[in-house]
Amino acid sequence: MGRTEEPRDGTAGGGLLPFGVIDVAGPSMVPTLRDGDLVVVRYGARIRPGAVVLFRHPFQQDLRLVKRADGRRPGGWWLLSDNRPVDSDSRQFGAVPEELVLGRVLLRVRPRPAWLAPSRLLERALLARPLARVPGLARRCGVWLSPEP
């Protein structure tokens, strides 16, 4: 479901630093994230389409989820699971209001470190020739290419 456990630092983004460490639970973000992965979140970070984000469920605000930002829609962000058969995302609950989007997932630290938030410049470079011809390079660097519906 892309659920998350309480932040390990106990701050939920309200501490001195805008970072938190979150445990991921559920299969909704496979293959990017898996059950038991540990990720670092930057609270209050700018969100753009393609980013993996942490947010509060619109109808159950004590439940925090991790999904991919597909784009802005009227009413907020359209957030989707990477594992498309799992529909516990905006297809089920609609656009998520901006104030419920808590931050951007920067990197996975467990089980294998992986950067999930490349800069816009790096994204452009990875999607342009000749780098775009290297199979899987963009994905390994955290650049998400939306799958066809």
Side-chain angles (χ1 to χ4, degrees):
M1 180 170 184
R3 270 184 313 111
T4 63
E5 301 300 326
E6 283 303 309
R8 289 178 177 250
D9 61 6
T11 64
L16 295 176
L17 296 176
F19 299 97
V21 180
I22 302 292
D23 287 307
V24 175
S28 75
M29 288 301 290
V30 169
T32 306
L33 297 171
R34 298 182 186 279
D35 190 53
D37 283 1
L38 189 67
V39 297
V40 173
V41 175
R42 179 165 185 214
Y43 294 99
R46 172 181 248 161
I47 306 300
R48 65 178 189 253
V52 178
V53 300
L54 174 69
F55 66 100
R56 293 191 184 283
H57 191 287
F59 306 131
Q60 245 183 302
Q61 293 185 16
D62 60 330
L63 179 62
R64 291 174 306 133
L65 303 168
V66 173
K67 303 289 180 199
R68 189 166 304 275
D70 187 61
R72 289 184 189 267
R73 301 275 174 92
W77 281 96
W78 195 257
L79 304 175
L80 296 174
S81 302
D82 282 359
N83 186 356
R84 291 301 161 94
V86 178
D87 67 353
S88 60
D89 56 21
S90 285
R91 293 172 291 172
Q92 183 182 66
F93 47 73
V96 176
E98 186 85 34
E99 62 271 12
L100 296 181
V101 178
L102 302 174
R104 184 171 183 181
V105 176
L106 298 180
L107 65 119
R108 179 184 61 221
V109 293
R110 180 185 70 206
R112 286 185 331 252
W115 186 249
L116 298 174
S119 70
R120 198 176 291 275
L121 180 64
L122 179 58
E123 277 185 4
R124 283 191 202 119
L126 289 167
L127 296 175
R129 292 183 185 173
L131 294 178
R133 293 183 181 172
V134 179
L137 179 62
R139 186 71 181 270
R140 287 192 303 270
C141 294
V143 175
W144 179 259
L145 303 173
S146 293
E148 295 301 317

